[in-house]
Amino acid sequence: IVYPMLATTQAPALFIGTPDGYNQFYDVWSNADPEWKSWQFKTVDGGHVPREEIERAKSTMDARLFRQEFEATFETSGNRAAYNFDRDIHVTTKEDSGKKYWGIDFNVDYMTAVLMCEYTDSSVHVLDEIRLSNSNTMEISARMAKIAPNLRVYPDPAGKARSTQSSRSDHTLLRDAGFTVLARKAHPSHRDRLNSLNRKLMDANDKIGLSIDPSCKYVIKDLEQVQRDKSGGIDKSNIELTHALDALSYAIEYRFPIRQIARSVKW
């Protein structure tokens, strides 16, 4: 569409964007045609965003995302969804802080809930997990209530509209079991959840904000093995994976979303 128009009018074109891995935008930027010219500028070079705001952004993003969004670098993380996870760093035992909540992913196979506690410095520790095969929301709610009842639950937002095996919604069943349900009105994108999760694992200041108890084998397995799909989202092709990661990331994204920084341009 663009090229025929430019060929007809003999007009110049300026393509402006932010790197997002090595995609089509990278191909345009790296074009070796001598008639093309490419530039790469950091946010600080524009002069529109204060340096203090840029420094503050380091605590709201992981290092890879910060370099991409604020330093205009083309980043790759292999294909792992939780690219900041390191078993040697993040798998450890910690004391229960007392401030606990659940994340939950609704599926018949596998119905999964993840129990977390949050400390005064906003770091989070995964304490326990539940994984049930051929199950339903009522069954997992009962299991959750035996382990840690009457807590806040951060579930899949889609659960407000239907239930896996009931005329009532999944959210209603959780409330009936004594839990307080907190969920987005709209389903957060895979990218938003993965960005929040990876930032919590390690932000751009190298602060570790998430740890996992060694007993939570499915959470650890997902963090190590779940891959991204071609669009940068979560690859759902393996039924054995992603359920624990989903349960964890619904809670993390809700409580610690990536803060968007408003940008103004003066003409």
Side-chain angles (χ1 to χ4, degrees), residues 72-87:
T73 64
F74 292 92
E75 296 286 331
T76 181
S77 58
N79 216 35
R80 283 180 55 198
Y83 50 80
N84 271 346
F85 176 74
D86 186 327
R87 179 186 288 259

Side-chain angles (χ1 to χ4, degrees), residues 168-187:
R168 292 174 294 167
S169 73
D170 289 318
H171 290 186
T172 298
L173 293 172
L174 287 170
R175 293 188 185 98
D176 290 346
F179 296 100
T180 300
V181 176
L182 297 171
R184 298 285 184 199
K185 291 182 179 180
H187 203 289

Side-chain angles (χ1 to χ4, degrees), residues 5-232:
M5 180 187 66
L6 297 177
T8 300
T9 62
Q10 292 294 293
L14 182 63
F15 297 87
I16 304 174
T18 301
D20 187 13
Y22 291 88
N23 58 6
Q24 294 93 332
F25 183 69
Y26 173 78
D27 294 338
V28 173
W29 180 82
S30 59
N31 194 315
D33 190 318
E35 294 187 0
W36 288 63
K37 175 67 176 178
S38 296
W39 297 269
Q40 196 169 20
F41 299 103
K42 298 180 180 181
T43 298
V44 69
D45 297 329
H48 301 295
V49 180
R51 287 181 178 272
E52 301 79 34
E53 190 68 27
I54 295 173
E55 287 301 313
R56 191 178 298 116
K58 288 184 177 180
S59 64
T60 72
M61 298 179 176
D62 67 85
R64 172 184 169 275
L65 185 62
F66 177 83
R67 290 193 301 269
Q68 175 178 285
E69 298 296 322
F70 284 86
E71 297 181 345
T73 64
F74 292 92
E75 296 286 331
T76 181
S77 58
N79 216 35
R80 283 180 55 198
Y83 50 80
N84 271 346
F85 176 74
D86 186 327
R87 179 186 288 259
D88 292 336
I89 295 173
H90 296 100
V91 178
T92 185
T93 56
K94 287 187 177 181
E95 293 295 327
D96 178 358
S97 69
K99 183 179 180 180
K100 296 192 290 288
Y101 44 83
W102 291 94
I104 186 169
D105 180 47
F106 302 115
N107 282 286
V108 175
D109 281 317
Y110 295 87
M111 187 73 71
T112 304
V114 174
L115 178 63
M116 291 154 269
C117 66
E118 186 177 319
Y119 302 99
T120 55
D121 64 353
S122 296
S123 63
V124 176
H125 183 64
V126 178
L127 292 164
D128 203 352
E129 63 182 359
I130 303 171
R131 177 178 165 108
L132 302 178
S133 177
N134 192 27
S135 184
N136 55 61
T137 307
M138 289 181 285
E139 183 178 357
I140 199 167
S141 296
R143 290 281 295 272
M144 292 162 60
K146 287 183 178 180
I147 297 172
N150 305 319
L151 297 180
R152 292 185 176 185
V153 179
Y154 300 90
D156 178 350
K160 67 182 177 182
R162 56 102 180 104
S163 173
T164 49
Q165 292 183 358
S166 172
S167 59
R168 292 174 294 167
S169 73
D170 289 318
H171 290 186
T172 298
L173 293 172
L174 287 170
R175 293 188 185 98
D176 290 346
F179 296 100
T180 300
V181 176
L182 297 171
R184 298 285 184 199
K185 291 182 179 180
H187 203 289
S189 71
H190 287 186
R191 287 192 176 196
D192 285 345
R193 286 197 280 131
L194 292 180
N195 285 339
S196 295
L197 176 63
N198 280 295
R199 183 273 308 273
K200 203 63 180 169
L201 286 165
M202 182 183 294
D203 69 19
N205 289 315
D206 297 328
K207 179 183 176 182
I208 305 299
L210 180 63
S211 56
I212 300 93
D213 189 88
S215 65
C216 299
K217 63 179 183 179
Y218 293 109
V219 173
I220 296 170
K221 183 177 181 180
D222 275 8
L223 292 174
E224 288 186 324
Q225 297 186 24
V226 171
Q227 302 291 298
R228 292 177 299 150
D229 59 23
K230 292 182 179 179
S231 69

